Amino acid sequence: MRKGSSVSEKKQEPSVWDGFKAFLMRGNVVDLAVAVVIGAAFTNIVNSLVKGVINPLVGAFGTKDLDKYSSCLRDPCTFDQATGTATSGIPIMWGTVLSATLTFVITAAVVYFLMVLPMSKYLARHAARQKLKENTQELIEVTELEVLKQIRDELVAQRGSGHGER
């Protein structure tokens, strides 16, 4: 007899799909997706810079490909030229690590100097302008208050002198 009423009293919970849509529509998720796409494109630029400019400059002191720099932990180290894999010995490929480190340092420098530093300077200027605007607003409010006090004092003085003349 109360079956129909218990269904209507039950709260309607949002579906999983509704929750997922709400999650995707939040601004920070969209911003994060844009950042990942831009970061992937930026990584290609930095990798090209390292492979096309930095590696040859470093390679001027040795081989042109940093990935070829290695040391041998157990001699003799020989490599298959076609695949680049070691056929004997235990090579330590420190050139690959150097190349990845250079890529990271260049990426970090470009991100810092072209994105983080200008944004922090902009935000500091914006905060200074906002503070100046707030101080100006306070000054206007104080000035208005002073004018209102003067008007009040003059009205009180007129009333006081008006009562004495009657």
Side-chain angles (χ1 to χ4, degrees):
M1 136 167 114
R2 298 208 83 223
K3 282 185 181 179
S5 63
S6 67
V7 172
S8 64
E9 290 174 7
K10 198 174 200 181
K11 277 189 171 180
Q12 185 73 3
E13 291 188 27
S15 70
V16 173
W17 179 249
D18 291 336
F20 183 67
K21 284 193 309 189
F23 170 74
L24 287 180
M25 292 301 130
R26 277 193 270 173
N28 55 358
V29 173
V30 174
D31 291 343
L32 182 62
V34 169
V36 167
V37 170
I38 295 291
F42 184 69
T43 299
N44 289 334
I45 292 170
V46 172
N47 285 337
S48 297
L49 177 69
V50 169
K51 288 188 187 315
V53 177
I54 303 298
N55 286 357
L57 288 174
V58 173
F61 302 105
T63 64
K64 291 190 179 181
D65 186 6
L66 284 180
D67 293 338
K68 302 277 189 226
Y69 285 108
S70 65
S71 298
C72 197
L73 193 60
R74 184 183 300 159
D75 285 327
C77 283
T78 56
F79 295 91
D80 180 6
Q81 295 299 328
T83 62
T85 59
T87 56
S88 68
I90 301 175
I92 298 177
M93 307 299 289
W94 59 269
T96 306
V97 175
L98 179 62
S99 179
T101 303
L102 285 173
T103 301
F104 172 76
V105 168
I106 291 169
T107 303
V110 169
V111 166
Y112 179 76
F113 289 111
L114 294 183
M115 295 178 193
V116 173
L117 191 62
M119 183 56 88
S120 63
K121 286 183 179 181
Y122 168 77
L123 291 175
R125 282 195 309 262
H126 181 70
R129 273 191 242 128
Q130 190 67 25
K131 187 174 181 180
L132 182 62
K133 191 185 235 183
E134 289 172 2
N135 289 344
T136 303
Q137 184 64 29
E138 286 178 12
L139 181 63
I140 289 172
E141 289 173 3
V142 168
T143 304
E144 288 175 355
L145 186 62
E146 290 298 320
V147 169
L148 289 172
K149 283 182 181 177
Q150 288 175 0
I151 292 171
R152 181 200 64 200
D153 292 343
E154 293 215 11
L155 286 173
V156 168
Q158 283 179 359
R159 262 196 227 159
S161 64
H163 281 301
E165 292 176 3
R166 283 189 184 190

